[in-house]
mmCIF file of all heavy atoms in Angstrom:
data_model
loop_
_atom_site.group_PDB
_atom_site.id
_atom_site.type_symbol
_atom_site.label_atom_id
_atom_site.label_comp_id
_atom_site.label_asym_id
_atom_site.label_seq_id
_atom_site.Cartn_x
_atom_site.Cartn_y
_atom_site.Cartn_z
ATOM 1 N N GLU A 7 16.291 -0.450 -2.528
ATOM 2 C CA GLU A 7 14.961 -0.837 -3.003
ATOM 3 C C GLU A 7 14.642 -0.249 -4.356
ATOM 4 O O GLU A 7 14.018 0.740 -4.521
ATOM 5 C CB GLU A 7 13.949 -0.278 -1.996
ATOM 6 C CG GLU A 7 14.041 -0.928 -0.611
ATOM 7 C CD GLU A 7 13.058 -0.344 0.369
ATOM 8 O OE1 GLU A 7 12.134 0.404 -0.055
ATOM 9 O OE2 GLU A 7 13.200 -0.574 1.564
ATOM 10 N N ARG A 15 8.739 11.665 -10.295
ATOM 11 C CA ARG A 15 8.445 11.563 -8.830
ATOM 12 C C ARG A 15 7.461 12.632 -8.370
ATOM 13 O O ARG A 15 6.747 12.496 -7.416
ATOM 14 C CB ARG A 15 9.774 11.718 -8.021
ATOM 15 C CG ARG A 15 10.754 10.559 -8.308
ATOM 16 C CD ARG A 15 10.219 9.203 -7.802
ATOM 17 N NE ARG A 15 9.884 9.329 -6.387
ATOM 18 C CZ ARG A 15 10.764 9.181 -5.397
ATOM 19 N NH1 ARG A 15 12.030 8.926 -5.620
ATOM 20 N NH2 ARG A 15 10.371 9.285 -4.152
ATOM 21 N N TYR A 41 -2.204 2.212 -7.449
ATOM 22 C CA TYR A 41 -2.934 2.574 -6.233
ATOM 23 C C TYR A 41 -2.955 4.135 -6.172
ATOM 24 O O TYR A 41 -1.994 4.752 -6.608
ATOM 25 C CB TYR A 41 -2.265 2.095 -4.994
ATOM 26 C CG TYR A 41 -2.408 0.588 -4.733
ATOM 27 C CD1 TYR A 41 -1.459 -0.325 -5.216
ATOM 28 C CD2 TYR A 41 -3.388 0.126 -3.919
ATOM 29 C CE1 TYR A 41 -1.527 -1.603 -4.961
ATOM 30 C CE2 TYR A 41 -3.433 -1.238 -3.605
ATOM 31 C CZ TYR A 41 -2.556 -2.085 -4.147
ATOM 32 O OH TYR A 41 -2.628 -3.422 -3.823
ATOM 33 N N GLN A 43 -3.152 7.109 -3.203
ATOM 34 C CA GLN A 43 -3.071 7.327 -1.756
ATOM 35 C C GLN A 43 -3.313 8.825 -1.458
ATOM 36 O O GLN A 43 -2.488 9.639 -1.803
ATOM 37 C CB GLN A 43 -1.724 6.932 -1.186
ATOM 38 C CG GLN A 43 -1.695 7.005 0.358
ATOM 39 C CD GLN A 43 -0.403 6.431 0.880
ATOM 40 O OE1 GLN A 43 0.685 6.680 0.370
ATOM 41 N NE2 GLN A 43 -0.520 5.653 1.971
ATOM 42 N N LYS A 46 -5.292 10.844 4.709
ATOM 43 C CA LYS A 46 -6.288 10.334 5.595
ATOM 44 C C LYS A 46 -7.286 9.343 4.951
ATOM 45 O O LYS A 46 -8.422 9.209 5.417
ATOM 46 C CB LYS A 46 -7.081 11.498 6.252
ATOM 47 C CG LYS A 46 -6.182 12.462 7.051
ATOM 48 C CD LYS A 46 -7.022 13.553 7.694
ATOM 49 C CE LYS A 46 -6.047 14.507 8.420
ATOM 50 N NZ LYS A 46 -6.768 15.644 9.029
ATOM 51 N N LYS A 47 -6.813 8.680 3.906
ATOM 52 C CA LYS A 47 -7.712 7.665 3.294
ATOM 53 C C LYS A 47 -6.891 6.355 3.110
ATOM 54 O O LYS A 47 -5.661 6.463 2.914
ATOM 55 C CB LYS A 47 -8.164 8.107 1.916
ATOM 56 C CG LYS A 47 -9.330 9.033 1.865
ATOM 57 C CD LYS A 47 -9.764 9.235 0.418
ATOM 58 C CE LYS A 47 -11.036 9.991 0.308
ATOM 59 N NZ LYS A 47 -11.454 10.180 -1.093
ATOM 60 N N PRO A 48 -7.558 5.167 3.138
ATOM 61 C CA PRO A 48 -6.819 3.978 2.924
ATOM 62 C C PRO A 48 -6.294 3.975 1.457
ATOM 63 O O PRO A 48 -6.786 4.643 0.555
ATOM 64 C CB PRO A 48 -7.838 2.904 3.105
ATOM 65 C CG PRO A 48 -8.936 3.491 3.832
ATOM 66 C CD PRO A 48 -8.954 4.954 3.451
ATOM 67 N N LEU A 49 -5.324 3.139 1.211
ATOM 68 C CA LEU A 49 -4.841 2.876 -0.133
ATOM 69 C C LEU A 49 -5.999 2.395 -1.000
ATOM 70 O O LEU A 49 -6.718 1.484 -0.641
ATOM 71 C CB LEU A 49 -3.781 1.804 -0.140
ATOM 72 C CG LEU A 49 -2.336 2.259 0.155
ATOM 73 C CD1 LEU A 49 -1.433 1.063 0.439
ATOM 74 C CD2 LEU A 49 -1.752 3.095 -0.961
ATOM 75 N N LEU A 51 -7.055 0.794 -4.500
ATOM 76 C CA LEU A 51 -6.677 0.078 -5.658
ATOM 77 C C LEU A 51 -7.392 0.632 -6.904
ATOM 78 O O LEU A 51 -8.625 0.722 -6.920
ATOM 79 C CB LEU A 51 -6.935 -1.399 -5.506
ATOM 80 C CG LEU A 51 -6.572 -2.345 -6.669
ATOM 81 C CD1 LEU A 51 -5.036 -2.353 -6.883
ATOM 82 C CD2 LEU A 51 -7.119 -3.744 -6.434
ATOM 83 N N GLU A 62 -8.789 -6.026 -13.262
ATOM 84 C CA GLU A 62 -9.524 -5.249 -12.249
ATOM 85 C C GLU A 62 -9.541 -3.780 -12.589
ATOM 86 O O GLU A 62 -8.515 -3.228 -12.947
ATOM 87 C CB GLU A 62 -8.849 -5.460 -10.876
ATOM 88 C CG GLU A 62 -9.593 -4.829 -9.719
ATOM 89 C CD GLU A 62 -10.689 -5.669 -9.138
ATOM 90 O OE1 GLU A 62 -10.525 -6.882 -9.160
ATOM 91 O OE2 GLU A 62 -11.678 -5.169 -8.620
ATOM 92 N N ASN A 64 -11.390 -0.710 -10.607
ATOM 93 C CA ASN A 64 -12.279 -0.428 -9.471
ATOM 94 C C ASN A 64 -13.078 0.778 -9.739
ATOM 95 O O ASN A 64 -12.962 1.779 -8.960
ATOM 96 C CB ASN A 64 -11.442 -0.333 -8.204
ATOM 97 C CG ASN A 64 -11.169 -1.677 -7.633
ATOM 98 O OD1 ASN A 64 -11.697 -2.679 -8.117
ATOM 99 N ND2 ASN A 64 -10.324 -1.751 -6.593
ATOM 100 N N LEU A 94 -0.888 10.840 -4.054
ATOM 101 C CA LEU A 94 0.311 10.037 -4.336
ATOM 102 C C LEU A 94 -0.149 8.869 -5.115
ATOM 103 O O LEU A 94 -0.999 8.092 -4.640
ATOM 104 C CB LEU A 94 1.013 9.660 -3.064
ATOM 105 C CG LEU A 94 2.297 8.816 -3.211
ATOM 106 C CD1 LEU A 94 3.419 9.656 -3.856
ATOM 107 C CD2 LEU A 94 2.753 8.266 -1.849
ATOM 108 N N LEU A 96 0.806 5.322 -6.514
ATOM 109 C CA LEU A 96 1.777 4.240 -6.269
ATOM 110 C C LEU A 96 1.585 3.101 -7.245
ATOM 111 O O LEU A 96 0.449 2.647 -7.458
ATOM 112 C CB LEU A 96 1.615 3.700 -4.812
ATOM 113 C CG LEU A 96 2.012 4.655 -3.726
ATOM 114 C CD1 LEU A 96 1.374 4.251 -2.408
ATOM 115 C CD2 LEU A 96 3.544 4.724 -3.581
ATOM 116 N N HIS A 104 -3.547 -10.941 -7.106
ATOM 117 C CA HIS A 104 -3.881 -9.956 -6.059
ATOM 118 C C HIS A 104 -3.388 -10.256 -4.685
ATOM 119 O O HIS A 104 -3.105 -9.341 -3.924
ATOM 120 C CB HIS A 104 -5.390 -9.885 -5.950
ATOM 121 C CG HIS A 104 -6.144 -9.509 -7.177
ATOM 122 N ND1 HIS A 104 -7.401 -9.047 -7.114
ATOM 123 C CD2 HIS A 104 -5.750 -9.416 -8.492
ATOM 124 C CE1 HIS A 104 -7.803 -8.751 -8.343
ATOM 125 N NE2 HIS A 104 -6.793 -8.983 -9.181
ATOM 126 N N LEU A 105 -3.240 -11.511 -4.313
ATOM 127 C CA LEU A 105 -3.008 -11.785 -2.915
ATOM 128 C C LEU A 105 -1.534 -11.903 -2.566
ATOM 129 O O LEU A 105 -1.198 -12.072 -1.417
ATOM 130 C CB LEU A 105 -3.724 -13.077 -2.577
ATOM 131 C CG LEU A 105 -5.217 -13.018 -2.903
ATOM 132 C CD1 LEU A 105 -5.888 -14.320 -2.379
ATOM 133 C CD2 LEU A 105 -5.941 -11.825 -2.288
ATOM 134 N N SER A 106 -0.669 -11.787 -3.550
ATOM 135 C CA SER A 106 0.751 -11.925 -3.240
ATOM 136 C C SER A 106 1.287 -10.639 -2.669
ATOM 137 O O SER A 106 0.643 -9.600 -2.777
ATOM 138 C CB SER A 106 1.517 -12.227 -4.549
ATOM 139 O OG SER A 106 1.030 -13.330 -5.180
ATOM 140 N N THR A 107 2.422 -10.745 -2.042
ATOM 141 C CA THR A 107 3.125 -9.629 -1.459
ATOM 142 C C THR A 107 3.296 -8.555 -2.475
ATOM 143 O O THR A 107 3.762 -8.782 -3.615
ATOM 144 C CB THR A 107 4.489 -10.051 -0.900
ATOM 145 O OG1 THR A 107 4.289 -11.052 0.081
ATOM 146 C CG2 THR A 107 5.202 -8.832 -0.301
ATOM 147 N N GLN A 108 2.921 -7.330 -2.136
ATOM 148 C CA GLN A 108 3.059 -6.172 -3.071
ATOM 149 C C GLN A 108 4.385 -5.463 -2.837
ATOM 150 O O GLN A 108 4.761 -5.136 -1.725
ATOM 151 C CB GLN A 108 1.931 -5.162 -2.761
ATOM 152 C CG GLN A 108 0.553 -5.769 -2.649
ATOM 153 C CD GLN A 108 -0.144 -5.882 -3.962
ATOM 154 O OE1 GLN A 108 -0.402 -4.840 -4.616
ATOM 155 N NE2 GLN A 108 -0.421 -7.041 -4.415
ATOM 156 N N TYR A 109 5.059 -5.202 -3.935
ATOM 157 C CA TYR A 109 6.302 -4.426 -3.906
ATOM 158 C C TYR A 109 6.011 -3.071 -4.539
ATOM 159 O O TYR A 109 5.752 -2.985 -5.771
ATOM 160 C CB TYR A 109 7.454 -5.151 -4.642
ATOM 161 C CG TYR A 109 7.879 -6.442 -3.982
ATOM 162 C CD1 TYR A 109 7.171 -7.596 -4.116
ATOM 163 C CD2 TYR A 109 8.979 -6.447 -3.108
ATOM 164 C CE1 TYR A 109 7.490 -8.742 -3.452
ATOM 165 C CE2 TYR A 109 9.375 -7.575 -2.452
ATOM 166 C CZ TYR A 109 8.612 -8.745 -2.651
ATOM 167 O OH TYR A 109 9.021 -9.874 -1.992
ATOM 168 N N PHE A 110 6.077 -2.022 -3.778
ATOM 169 C CA PHE A 110 5.708 -0.711 -4.200
ATOM 170 C C PHE A 110 6.870 0.066 -4.723
ATOM 171 O O PHE A 110 7.996 -0.019 -4.263
ATOM 172 C CB PHE A 110 5.092 0.090 -3.005
ATOM 173 C CG PHE A 110 3.729 -0.364 -2.631
ATOM 174 C CD1 PHE A 110 3.521 -1.390 -1.716
ATOM 175 C CD2 PHE A 110 2.602 0.202 -3.183
ATOM 176 C CE1 PHE A 110 2.282 -1.817 -1.384
ATOM 177 C CE2 PHE A 110 1.295 -0.177 -2.817
ATOM 178 C CZ PHE A 110 1.149 -1.216 -1.938
ATOM 179 N N GLY A 111 6.531 0.911 -5.719
ATOM 180 C CA GLY A 111 7.505 1.916 -6.168
ATOM 181 C C GLY A 111 7.449 3.180 -5.279
ATOM 182 O O GLY A 111 6.600 3.222 -4.346
ATOM 183 N N PRO A 112 8.303 4.131 -5.492
ATOM 184 C CA PRO A 112 8.409 5.340 -4.674
ATOM 185 C C PRO A 112 7.167 6.252 -4.804
ATOM 186 O O PRO A 112 7.022 7.165 -3.986
ATOM 187 C CB PRO A 112 9.645 6.024 -5.118
ATOM 188 C CG PRO A 112 9.847 5.539 -6.511
ATOM 189 C CD PRO A 112 9.289 4.186 -6.580
ATOM 190 N N GLY A 113 6.444 6.106 -5.898
ATOM 191 C CA GLY A 113 5.239 6.925 -6.067
ATOM 192 C C GLY A 113 5.478 8.228 -6.890
ATOM 193 O O GLY A 113 6.605 8.666 -6.974
ATOM 194 N N SER B 47 -7.585 -15.568 5.065
ATOM 195 C CA SER B 47 -6.719 -16.700 4.790
ATOM 196 C C SER B 47 -5.265 -16.320 5.177
ATOM 197 O O SER B 47 -4.523 -17.150 5.550
ATOM 198 C CB SER B 47 -6.765 -17.046 3.268
ATOM 199 O OG SER B 47 -6.392 -15.970 2.470
ATOM 200 N N ASN B 48 -4.977 -15.011 5.139
ATOM 201 C CA ASN B 48 -3.647 -14.545 5.568
ATOM 202 C C ASN B 48 -3.726 -13.083 5.830
ATOM 203 O O ASN B 48 -4.717 -12.407 5.502
ATOM 204 C CB ASN B 48 -2.582 -14.847 4.530
ATOM 205 C CG ASN B 48 -2.750 -14.025 3.280
ATOM 206 O OD1 ASN B 48 -2.341 -12.854 3.230
ATOM 207 N ND2 ASN B 48 -3.278 -14.613 2.225
ATOM 208 N N GLN B 50 -1.110 -9.467 5.830
ATOM 209 C CA GLN B 50 0.163 -8.872 5.554
ATOM 210 C C GLN B 50 0.284 -7.570 6.291
ATOM 211 O O GLN B 50 -0.684 -6.817 6.509
ATOM 212 C CB GLN B 50 0.342 -8.637 4.040
ATOM 213 C CG GLN B 50 0.275 -9.909 3.223
ATOM 214 C CD GLN B 50 0.355 -9.606 1.730
ATOM 215 O OE1 GLN B 50 0.896 -8.593 1.282
ATOM 216 N NE2 GLN B 50 -0.235 -10.532 0.946
ATOM 217 N N TYR B 52 2.572 -3.866 6.387
ATOM 218 C CA TYR B 52 3.517 -3.001 5.617
ATOM 219 C C TYR B 52 3.837 -1.785 6.498
ATOM 220 O O TYR B 52 3.024 -1.364 7.324
ATOM 221 C CB TYR B 52 2.815 -2.488 4.358
ATOM 222 C CG TYR B 52 2.550 -3.563 3.320
ATOM 223 C CD1 TYR B 52 1.514 -4.440 3.448
ATOM 224 C CD2 TYR B 52 3.389 -3.646 2.201
ATOM 225 C CE1 TYR B 52 1.269 -5.425 2.499
ATOM 226 C CE2 TYR B 52 3.145 -4.687 1.204
ATOM 227 C CZ TYR B 52 2.088 -5.521 1.404
ATOM 228 O OH TYR B 52 1.904 -6.493 0.468
ATOM 229 N N GLN B 54 5.199 2.326 6.047
ATOM 230 C CA GLN B 54 5.487 3.449 5.141
ATOM 231 C C GLN B 54 6.112 4.557 5.988
ATOM 232 O O GLN B 54 5.476 5.143 6.830
ATOM 233 C CB GLN B 54 4.203 3.974 4.459
ATOM 234 C CG GLN B 54 4.419 5.041 3.460
ATOM 235 C CD GLN B 54 3.128 5.361 2.643
ATOM 236 O OE1 GLN B 54 2.041 4.990 3.099
ATOM 237 N NE2 GLN B 54 3.251 6.026 1.523
ATOM 238 N N GLY B 57 7.032 10.357 3.789
ATOM 239 C CA GLY B 57 7.574 10.681 2.463
ATOM 240 C C GLY B 57 7.976 9.496 1.614
ATOM 241 O O GLY B 57 8.538 9.620 0.542
ATOM 242 N N GLY B 58 7.749 8.316 2.173
ATOM 243 C CA GLY B 58 8.149 7.109 1.454
ATOM 244 C C GLY B 58 6.968 6.301 0.901
ATOM 245 O O GLY B 58 5.874 6.838 0.785
ATOM 246 N N HIS B 59 7.223 5.033 0.625
ATOM 247 C CA HIS B 59 6.183 4.180 0.077
ATOM 248 C C HIS B 59 6.055 2.953 0.970
ATOM 249 O O HIS B 59 6.962 2.636 1.707
ATOM 250 C CB HIS B 59 6.550 3.744 -1.407
ATOM 251 C CG HIS B 59 7.877 3.072 -1.498
ATOM 252 N ND1 HIS B 59 9.136 3.748 -1.520
ATOM 253 C CD2 HIS B 59 8.193 1.768 -1.550
ATOM 254 C CE1 HIS B 59 10.081 2.876 -1.639
ATOM 255 N NE2 HIS B 59 9.564 1.677 -1.678
ATOM 256 N N PRO B 60 4.931 2.257 0.880
ATOM 257 C CA PRO B 60 4.737 1.058 1.686
ATOM 258 C C PRO B 60 5.769 -0.002 1.423
ATOM 259 O O PRO B 60 6.042 -0.296 0.258
ATOM 260 C CB PRO B 60 3.336 0.551 1.371
ATOM 261 C CG PRO B 60 2.625 1.801 0.822
ATOM 262 C CD PRO B 60 3.716 2.565 0.085
ATOM 263 N N VAL B 61 6.308 -0.588 2.425
ATOM 264 C CA VAL B 61 7.296 -1.691 2.331
ATOM 265 C C VAL B 61 6.759 -2.889 3.077
ATOM 266 O O VAL B 61 6.394 -2.800 4.270
ATOM 267 C CB VAL B 61 8.650 -1.276 2.847
ATOM 268 C CG1 VAL B 61 9.636 -2.429 2.808
ATOM 269 C CG2 VAL B 61 9.199 -0.089 2.040
ATOM 270 N N PHE B 62 6.771 -4.056 2.448
ATOM 271 C CA PHE B 62 6.302 -5.289 3.038
ATOM 272 C C PHE B 62 7.134 -5.609 4.262
ATOM 273 O O PHE B 62 8.376 -5.615 4.168
ATOM 274 C CB PHE B 62 6.353 -6.353 1.988
ATOM 275 C CG PHE B 62 6.011 -7.760 2.526
ATOM 276 C CD1 PHE B 62 4.676 -8.095 2.794
ATOM 277 C CD2 PHE B 62 6.996 -8.691 2.727
ATOM 278 C CE1 PHE B 62 4.418 -9.392 3.267
ATOM 279 C CE2 PHE B 62 6.688 -9.947 3.227
ATOM 280 C CZ PHE B 62 5.418 -10.256 3.488
ATOM 281 N N GLN B 65 4.126 -11.651 6.423
ATOM 282 C CA GLN B 65 2.830 -12.271 6.186
ATOM 283 C C GLN B 65 2.573 -13.357 7.184
ATOM 284 O O GLN B 65 3.478 -14.156 7.487
ATOM 285 C CB GLN B 65 2.785 -12.834 4.790
ATOM 286 C CG GLN B 65 1.504 -13.585 4.456
ATOM 287 C CD GLN B 65 1.355 -14.007 2.996
ATOM 288 O OE1 GLN B 65 1.102 -13.174 2.140
ATOM 289 N NE2 GLN B 65 1.548 -15.274 2.750
ATOM 290 N N PHE B 105 0.502 -0.434 8.035
ATOM 291 C CA PHE B 105 -0.722 -0.895 7.435
ATOM 292 C C PHE B 105 -0.827 -2.439 7.553
ATOM 293 O O PHE B 105 0.120 -3.109 7.352
ATOM 294 C CB PHE B 105 -0.725 -0.599 5.916
ATOM 295 C CG PHE B 105 -0.698 0.864 5.540
ATOM 296 C CD1 PHE B 105 0.475 1.482 5.288
ATOM 297 C CD2 PHE B 105 -1.888 1.570 5.419
ATOM 298 C CE1 PHE B 105 0.511 2.853 4.910
ATOM 299 C CE2 PHE B 105 -1.909 2.903 5.068
ATOM 300 C CZ PHE B 105 -0.667 3.545 4.790
ATOM 301 N N GLY B 108 -5.437 -7.584 3.959
ATOM 302 C CA GLY B 108 -5.896 -8.937 3.900
ATOM 303 C C GLY B 108 -6.703 -9.199 2.655
ATOM 304 O O GLY B 108 -7.238 -8.234 2.048
ATOM 305 N N PRO B 109 -6.814 -10.397 2.226
ATOM 306 C CA PRO B 109 -7.560 -10.739 1.007
ATOM 307 C C PRO B 109 -9.049 -10.522 1.270
ATOM 308 O O PRO B 109 -9.583 -10.899 2.292
ATOM 309 C CB PRO B 109 -7.232 -12.203 0.728
ATOM 310 C CG PRO B 109 -6.704 -12.748 2.020
ATOM 311 C CD PRO B 109 -6.246 -11.612 2.820
ATOM 312 N N SER B 110 -9.720 -9.943 0.235
ATOM 313 C CA SER B 110 -11.166 -9.681 0.399
ATOM 314 C C SER B 110 -11.935 -10.804 -0.233
ATOM 315 O O SER B 110 -11.405 -11.746 -0.800
ATOM 316 C CB SER B 110 -11.465 -8.348 -0.343
ATOM 317 O OG SER B 110 -11.416 -8.620 -1.750
ATOM 318 N N GLY B 112 -13.602 -10.607 -2.807
ATOM 319 C CA GLY B 112 -13.401 -10.569 -4.244
ATOM 320 C C GLY B 112 -11.999 -10.993 -4.645
ATOM 321 O O GLY B 112 -11.538 -10.706 -5.763
ATOM 322 N N ASN B 113 -11.273 -11.641 -3.696
ATOM 323 C CA ASN B 113 -9.956 -12.143 -4.038
ATOM 324 C C ASN B 113 -8.983 -11.077 -4.396
ATOM 325 O O ASN B 113 -8.153 -11.262 -5.307
ATOM 326 C CB ASN B 113 -10.062 -13.201 -5.148
ATOM 327 C CG ASN B 113 -9.010 -14.257 -5.020
ATOM 328 O OD1 ASN B 113 -8.608 -14.658 -3.919
ATOM 329 N ND2 ASN B 113 -8.492 -14.794 -6.105
ATOM 330 N N LYS B 114 -9.031 -9.966 -3.703
ATOM 331 C CA LYS B 114 -8.010 -8.928 -3.890
ATOM 332 C C LYS B 114 -7.581 -8.439 -2.513
ATOM 333 O O LYS B 114 -8.250 -8.671 -1.493
ATOM 334 C CB LYS B 114 -8.557 -7.758 -4.710
ATOM 335 C CG LYS B 114 -9.741 -7.052 -4.022
ATOM 336 C CD LYS B 114 -10.207 -5.889 -4.926
ATOM 337 C CE LYS B 114 -11.317 -5.167 -4.235
ATOM 338 N NZ LYS B 114 -11.924 -4.136 -5.120
ATOM 339 N N LEU B 115 -6.441 -7.797 -2.477
ATOM 340 C CA LEU B 115 -5.883 -7.350 -1.194
ATOM 341 C C LEU B 115 -6.506 -6.046 -0.783
ATOM 342 O O LEU B 115 -6.562 -5.070 -1.568
ATOM 343 C CB LEU B 115 -4.395 -7.142 -1.376
ATOM 344 C CG LEU B 115 -3.460 -7.334 -0.174
ATOM 345 C CD1 LEU B 115 -3.651 -8.671 0.450
ATOM 346 C CD2 LEU B 115 -2.002 -7.154 -0.577
ATOM 347 N N PHE B 117 -6.406 -2.985 2.006
ATOM 348 C CA PHE B 117 -5.550 -2.390 3.021
ATOM 349 C C PHE B 117 -6.391 -1.670 4.067
ATOM 350 O O PHE B 117 -7.423 -1.043 3.817
ATOM 351 C CB PHE B 117 -4.625 -1.341 2.371
ATOM 352 C CG PHE B 117 -3.463 -1.980 1.690
ATOM 353 C CD1 PHE B 117 -3.578 -2.452 0.383
ATOM 354 C CD2 PHE B 117 -2.205 -2.039 2.255
ATOM 355 C CE1 PHE B 117 -2.511 -3.045 -0.292
ATOM 356 C CE2 PHE B 117 -1.139 -2.607 1.591
ATOM 357 C CZ PHE B 117 -1.300 -3.082 0.294
ATOM 358 N N GLY B 118 -5.905 -1.744 5.323
ATOM 359 C CA GLY B 118 -6.473 -0.940 6.388
ATOM 360 C C GLY B 118 -6.036 0.521 6.176
ATOM 361 O O GLY B 118 -5.192 0.827 5.357
ATOM 362 N N ALA B 119 -6.624 1.423 6.937
ATOM 363 C CA ALA B 119 -6.306 2.865 6.824
ATOM 364 C C ALA B 119 -4.984 3.210 7.456
ATOM 365 O O ALA B 119 -4.455 4.336 7.153
ATOM 366 C CB ALA B 119 -7.394 3.687 7.459
#
Side-chain angles (χ1 to χ4, degrees):
Chain A
E7 295 177 12
R15 296 293 305 276
Y41 287 88
Q43 188 174 42
K46 300 180 182 178
K47 279 188 173 182
L49 277 166
L51 180 64
E62 183 86 31
N64 279 352
L94 181 67
L96 291 160
H104 299 195
L105 306 183
S106 303
T107 301
Q108 311 272 296
Y109 291 82
F110 287 87
Chain B
S47 58
N48 68 80
Q50 300 176 23
Y52 293 78
Q54 184 173 16
H59 58 278
V61 175
F62 173 77
Q65 176 172 285
F105 296 95
S110 73
N113 211 33
K114 64 182 181 185
L115 208 57
F117 282 81

